[in-house]
């Protein structure tokens, strides 16, 4: 069975094997691993030693995004969100339920946000202290450009929180060149090809200190996570977490380095996505995005007319491929991930599985 969702992703056996031990997260023996992983993640984000710090939080990316919103945006303050996908909608819900005011910038879910659109929205909404943006929108597969959007945010004198959950480790990010970014948030899975369990924020130390006490939640207070690192001198995590995921993360980072780094991994994902996009089009299916707007993380396709979606998902699994069992686009669709420990052979198999699954359901397709 090949796992082709935009997360969790298929992992290498050595990554999974690293978890095959019991670990006490506060013991001295675990300390070097934990410190190493945090420093390597900061470097991968382009963070500056002393100015940025990597902060772990047990749980999913949604929990980390809520923590970032609570930690950097004052209660009752306004946050602008470019709304071009499901995960932007989820971010808006997290912000509202945390007591922040959300200003939505409506956009189509078929292309990335444009810097001039964000700049114009900020000029109309001086009350917005922050822009929160999803870098890679896995609802449809589009990519928003944090460097271009960040320049508009910086020019307007505002701050930015970046959801890099399905982007980090592949798509470009340089926090040293983007001082307007309070934090970039991601998880131990997705493009890092580790296992789920932890979220991470690479955050500015000065902004953590400025926002101390405003989270309104002990569990979701990144300033408190930062404070904890200062108390004990080496940054042991608060509370018990799935620390085996940290062991797996170290091996996953070793594999990223061995592959040639972020750019080489991105090239592999781009080739995967291109193979899926072209393969589905050759079957007579209609990709949700144009080739120029197609990102490298997930490829989404309009559902053929008459498709029984639950039966299709079951047929895909009979044909050896697991894909997302739900869709989040404005129009009915299905999506296939291009990330994880997979390459072109797995992409060919995925296209064949779609072809054979549609045939099982009696739906017409190209030869």
């Amino acid at each position: 069975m090949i796992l082709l969702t935009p997360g969790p992703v298929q992992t290498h056996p050595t990554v999974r094997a690293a978890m095959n031990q019991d670990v006490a997260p506060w013991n001295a023996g675990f300390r070097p691993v934990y410190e190493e992983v945090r420093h390597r993640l900061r470097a991968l984000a382009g963070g500056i030693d002393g100015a940025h710090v990597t902060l772990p939080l047990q749980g999913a990316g949604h929990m980390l995004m809520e923590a970032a919103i609570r930690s950097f945006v004052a209660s009752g303050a306004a946050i602008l969100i470019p709304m071009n996908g499901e995960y932007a909608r989820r971010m808006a819900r997290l912000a509202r339920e945390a007591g922040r005011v959300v200003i939505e910038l409506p956009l189509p879910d078929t292309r990335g946000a444009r810097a001039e659109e964000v700049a114009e929205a900020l000029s109309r909404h001086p009350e917005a202290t922050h822009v929160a943006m999803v870098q890679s929108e896995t609802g449809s597969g589009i990519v928003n450009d944090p460097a271009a959007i960040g320049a508009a945010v910086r020019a307007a004198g505002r701050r930015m929180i970046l959801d890099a959950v399905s982007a980090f480790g592949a798509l470009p990010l340089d926090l040293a060149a983007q001082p307007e970014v309070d934090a970039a948030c991601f998880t131990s899975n997705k493009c890092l090809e580790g296992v789920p369990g932890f979220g991470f924020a690479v955050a500015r130390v000065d902004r953590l200190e400025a926002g101390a006490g405003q989270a309104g939640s002990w569990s979701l207070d990144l300033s408190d996570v930062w404070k904890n690192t200062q108390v004990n001198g080496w940054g042991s995590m608060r509370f018990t977490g799935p620390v085996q995921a940290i062991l797996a993360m170290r091996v996953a980072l070793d594999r990223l380095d061995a592959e040639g780094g972020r750019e080489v991994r991105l090239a592999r994902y781009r080739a995967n996505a291109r193979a899926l996009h072209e393969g589905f089009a050759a079957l007579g299916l209609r990709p949700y995005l144009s080739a120029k707007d197609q990102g490298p993380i997930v490829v989404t396709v309009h559902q053929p007319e008459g498709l029984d979606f639950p039966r299709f998902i079951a047929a895909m699994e009979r044909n050896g491929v697991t894909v997302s069992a739900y869709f989040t686009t404005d129009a009915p669709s299905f999506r296939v991930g291009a990330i994880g420990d997979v390459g072109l052979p797995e992409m060919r198999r995925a296209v064949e599985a779609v072809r054979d699954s549609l045939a099982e359901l009696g739906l017409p397709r190209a030869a």
Side-chain angles (χ1 to χ4, degrees), residues 215-252:
S217 166
W218 184 22
S219 295
L220 300 177
D221 187 352
L222 293 179
S223 293
D224 191 70
V225 180
W226 164 237
K227 178 181 176 182
N228 190 67
T229 69
Q230 297 171 294
V231 168
N232 58 39
W234 63 275
S236 71
M237 64 189 68
R238 307 174 310 160
F239 321 135
T240 302
V243 290
Q244 285 83 359
I246 301 291
L247 300 176
M249 184 81 272
R250 179 171 62 170
V251 176

Side-chain angles (χ1 to χ4, degrees), residues 29-86:
F30 183 65
R31 171 179 172 174
V33 179
Y34 184 57
E35 287 188 287
E36 175 193 338
V37 166
R38 290 176 61 222
H39 294 328
R40 291 172 76 178
L41 291 173
R42 186 196 63 221
L44 188 57
I48 302 169
D49 187 14
H52 295 91
V53 62
T54 303
L55 302 173
L57 192 68
Q58 301 90 323
H62 287 73
M63 299 173 188
L64 188 66
M65 287 309 303
E66 180 177 347
I69 291 167
R70 286 178 172 273
S71 299
F72 297 109
V73 183
S75 180
I79 184 169
L80 176 72
I81 302 178
M83 303 295 292
N84 56 355
E86 170 65 17

Side-chain angles (χ1 to χ4, degrees), residues 111-249:
R111 65 164 175 85
R114 296 166 182 160
E116 60 270 21
E117 294 170 327
V118 173
E120 195 276 332
L122 287 174
S123 70
R124 287 188 289 109
H125 293 283
E127 71 275 23
T129 64
H130 283 72
V131 171
M133 187 179 75
V134 179
Q135 184 174 7
S136 172
E137 174 54 70
T138 55
S140 64
I142 59 171
V143 172
N144 294 311
D145 184 350
I149 302 299
V153 173
R154 189 164 63 249
R158 316 298 174 84
R159 309 297 307 165
M160 188 174 183
I161 297 171
L162 183 65
D163 175 345
V165 169
S166 65
F168 190 80
L171 290 172
L173 179 64
D174 184 3
L175 293 181
Q178 292 196 244
E180 75 282 355
V181 176
D182 284 351
C185 304
F186 52 93
T187 68
S188 52
N189 189 228
K190 314 284 185 177
C191 298
L192 290 173
E193 298 185 10
V195 300
F198 273 98
F200 297 95
V202 178
R204 290 189 62 91
V205 171
D206 57 352
R207 299 299 298 169
L208 287 163
E209 293 175 343
Q214 70 182 13
S217 166
W218 184 22
S219 295
L220 300 177
D221 187 352
L222 293 179
S223 293
D224 191 70
V225 180
W226 164 237
K227 178 181 176 182
N228 190 67
T229 69
Q230 297 171 294
V231 168
N232 58 39
W234 63 275
S236 71
M237 64 189 68
R238 307 174 310 160
F239 321 135
T240 302
V243 290
Q244 285 83 359
I246 301 291
L247 300 176
M249 184 81 272

